[in-house]
Amino acid sequence: MKRRINSARMRVRARLTALIPVTGLLFCGQALAAGTVLTLEQAIDQAVQHNRTLDNAEMDVGKAADELAAERTKRLPKLDLGLSENYNLSSQSFTFPAGLFGPIPTEDVKLDARTGFTTVVSASVKQPLSDLYRIGLSIDQFEVNEDIADQELRSRRQTIIRDVKQAYYNILKAQNELTSTEASISFYRELDQLVDRYYQEQTVLKYETMEVKSRLARAEHDAFTERNRLATEREKLNKLLGREVATAFSVAPVGIDQLAVPSHAEAESAAIEQRPEVNTSRLKLKHAQYGYRIKKSEYIPHIDLQYRYTRLYNTDFIPDKESAIGLTARWEFYDWGRKSQDLSKKSLAIQQARNEIEEAESQVIIEVNRRMRDLEDARNLVSVTSITQAAQQEKLRVLMNQYRQQTVLLDDVLKAERELTFANTEHNNAQLSVWTAQSELQKAMGEE
C-alpha cells in the first residue's frame, strides 16, 4: 500500500514539474484562439481601408481637389445671360424740335411712349486678361491647399496605424497574461491534489491545504478578469478596423527580433523628410508666399475683353438692338495705404511660416531621439526580465524537486511560484514596452 502511495506521489510530482507556469517571449496559446487569425499587417490594411476617421480625412482631400478645379475655371470666359420684363406705369412723350439734327426734322416731331411691357434680353462674354496672372497664382495656392490636406491625411493615417498597433499589442499582452494565469491554475490544481494527499497522510497541516485552495481561487478569478479584458481589447481593435465590435478573431505573434532598429542619423533624416508636420510647415510657407504675390498683383489694373449683345422688345422709338466688343479697364489708383498694409501683413506671415519650419524640425528631432532611447531601454529591459524569468523557473523547478523529498516547506514552493508569476508579468510588460516604443518610433519617423 505504501509503495502504491509513493508511486502515485512520484507521478503527481512529475506532472507538477511539467506544469510549472512559464511564459515564452511571444507565446499565444491555441486555447485563446477565437475566430480567424488576424495578423498585424492585415489589421493595418483593414484599418486604412475602412476606418471612419480616415474616410473623413480622405473626403477633405477630395474637397480640396474640388476647390482647385473650381478655381481653374476662372481662367475661362465668363458667360452671362440676362432677361428682364418691365411694365411702364406712366405715359411718356418725347419731342424732337425742327432742325435738331441739321436739316432734319423739318418740323417738330412728338412721340408718345405707350404703356405696357418691355422685354430686355442681354448676353455677354467676358474674358479676363490681366487677371490671368493673379488667377494663376491663386491656382498655385489652391494646389498647396490640396497638398496640405494630403499631409493631414497622412498624419491621420499614421495615427490610426499607431493606434492599431497599440491595440494589437495590448491583445498580445492580454493573451500572454491569460496563458500564464491558466498555467498557474493547472499548477495549483495539481498541487492542491498533492497537498490533499499529504494532509490525509498527516504530513502537512490544514492551513497549508487552505492556502493552496486560496491561491487556486485567486488564479481562477484572475483568469476570469483577464478574459474580460481580452474581450474589451478585441472590441477596441474591431472599432479601429471599422467593423462590428463583436467580430471574433485571434492575433498572431510578433517577434521582437523582427523589429528593425535604425541608427540615430537614419531616424532623424527619415523624420525630417517624411513627417507630415514638417512637410505641412513647408507647404504653409509656400502658401504664405503665394498669398504675398497675389496681394501684390492687386496693383495691376484689371483689363478684360468683353462682347455684349442687347435686344429690346416692344420698343419703337429707340434702336432695339445693340452689339459691341471692346476692352474694359479698372484701376484703383489710390487706396489710402490699404494694399501696403496688407502686403506688410503677408510678409510677416511668411516670416512666421519660416519660424514654424525650424520649430517643427527641432521638435521632430527631439521626439525621434526620445523614441530611440525609449526603444533601446525597452529592449534592454526585455533581456533583463528574460534572465530573471529563466532564473525563477529554475528556482521553482529545484524547490519542487526538494518538496518531493519533503526537504523544503510548502511556503517555499508557493513563494517561488509567486515570484515566477511576477517575473512573467514583468517580462510581458517589457515586451509590450518594446512593441509600443517601436510603434512610436515609426510614427515619429513618419513611416506608415
Side-chain angles (χ1 to χ4, degrees), residues 307-322:
Y307 170 77
R308 183 180 67 256
Y309 174 81
T310 305
R311 175 70 187 271
L312 302 178
Y313 294 89
N314 301 327
T315 300
D316 299 329
F317 59 91
I318 58 175
D320 61 354
K321 294 180 182 178
E322 180 186 17

Side-chain angles (χ1 to χ4, degrees), residues 94-111:
F94 300 88
T95 301
F96 298 91
L100 178 63
F101 302 108
I104 58 173
T106 56
E107 60 183 12
D108 292 348
V109 177
K110 184 178 180 181
L111 299 176

Side-chain angles (χ1 to χ4, degrees), residues 1 4-13 15-16 189-205 209 213 403 406:
M1 181 68 177
R4 285 198 300 271
I5 292 175
N6 289 336
S7 177
R9 284 180 180 174
M10 294 299 293
R11 286 196 301 271
V12 171
R13 289 167 182 166
R15 292 178 65 187
L16 281 172
R189 284 174 179 170
E190 296 291 347
L191 183 60
D192 183 52
Q193 295 177 12
L194 178 61
V195 173
D196 282 345
R197 289 178 183 272
Y198 285 173
Y199 178 71
Q200 292 173 4
E201 296 171 2
Q202 298 184 351
T203 58
V204 298
L205 299 175
T209 64
K213 294 182 186 301
Y403 189 64
Q406 296 188 348

Side-chain angles (χ1 to χ4, degrees), residues 82-294:
L83 174 65
S84 65
E85 188 75 15
N86 304 311
Y87 185 83
N88 191 4
L89 296 176
S90 62
S91 300
Q92 297 177 349
S93 63
F94 300 88
T95 301
F96 298 91
L100 178 63
F101 302 108
I104 58 173
T106 56
E107 60 183 12
D108 292 348
V109 177
K110 184 178 180 181
L111 299 176
D112 294 324
R114 64 177 180 266
T115 60
F117 287 97
T118 300
T119 303
V120 181
V121 178
S122 64
S124 66
V125 179
K126 183 167 67 174
Q127 172 62 53
L129 297 179
S130 63
D131 284 351
L132 289 176
Y133 172 70
R134 179 166 45 251
I135 293 172
L137 293 176
S138 181
I139 289 173
D140 292 337
Q141 192 177 50
F142 273 91
E143 288 177 348
V144 174
N145 287 339
E146 185 179 19
D147 292 338
I148 290 175
D150 186 63
Q151 291 301 318
E152 176 64 23
L153 172 61
R154 289 189 62 240
S155 178
R156 292 192 185 184
R157 184 186 296 117
Q158 291 174 8
T159 300
I160 291 298
I161 292 174
R162 189 272 313 275
D163 292 344
V164 168
K165 289 180 179 178
Q166 186 62 49
Y168 195 93
Y169 298 150
N170 285 338
I171 293 175
L172 276 177
K173 179 176 181 289
Q175 287 187 171
N176 285 343
E177 289 176 348
L178 183 55
T179 299
S180 177
T181 302
E182 288 178 341
S184 295
I185 291 172
S186 298
F187 173 82
Y188 282 127
R189 284 174 179 170
E190 296 291 347
L191 183 60
D192 183 52
Q193 295 177 12
L194 178 61
V195 173
D196 282 345
R197 289 178 183 272
Y198 285 173
Y199 178 71
Q200 292 173 4
E201 296 171 2
Q202 298 184 351
T203 58
V204 298
L205 299 175
K206 180 65 176 178
Y207 84 89
E208 293 178 299
T209 64
M210 297 302 296
E211 176 70 18
V212 175
K213 294 182 186 301
S214 174
R215 298 286 187 93
L216 175 58
R218 172 60 63 181
E220 289 174 340
H221 174 73
D222 290 343
F224 178 80
T225 302
E226 289 163 2
R227 289 190 187 95
N228 287 338
R229 183 165 63 248
L230 179 57
T232 300
E233 295 298 337
R234 282 174 174 156
E235 290 173 352
K236 290 180 180 179
L237 182 55
N238 280 330
K239 178 179 177 295
L240 287 172
L241 301 186
R243 61 186 188 179
E244 292 294 331
V245 295
T247 303
F249 69 94
S250 61
V251 296
V254 178
I256 291 179
D257 294 337
Q258 300 172 4
L259 304 179
V261 181
S263 66
H264 280 265
E266 291 173 341
E268 290 180 6
S269 177
I272 294 297
E273 183 67 24
Q274 299 176 157
R275 277 289 289 270
E277 294 89 336
V278 176
N279 292 332
T280 298
S281 64
R282 293 169 180 163
L283 290 170
K284 286 182 177 179
L285 173 60
K286 292 179 63 177
H287 190 277
Q289 291 171 337
Y290 280 125
Y292 180 88
R293 294 172 63 185
I294 291 172

Side-chain angles (χ1 to χ4, degrees), residues 129-131 134 297-304 328-332:
L129 297 179
S130 63
D131 284 351
R134 179 166 45 251
S297 69
E298 292 182 3
Y299 285 103
I300 303 174
H302 299 269
I303 300 176
D304 303 320
T328 61
R330 292 175 291 108
W331 181 43
E332 187 182 18

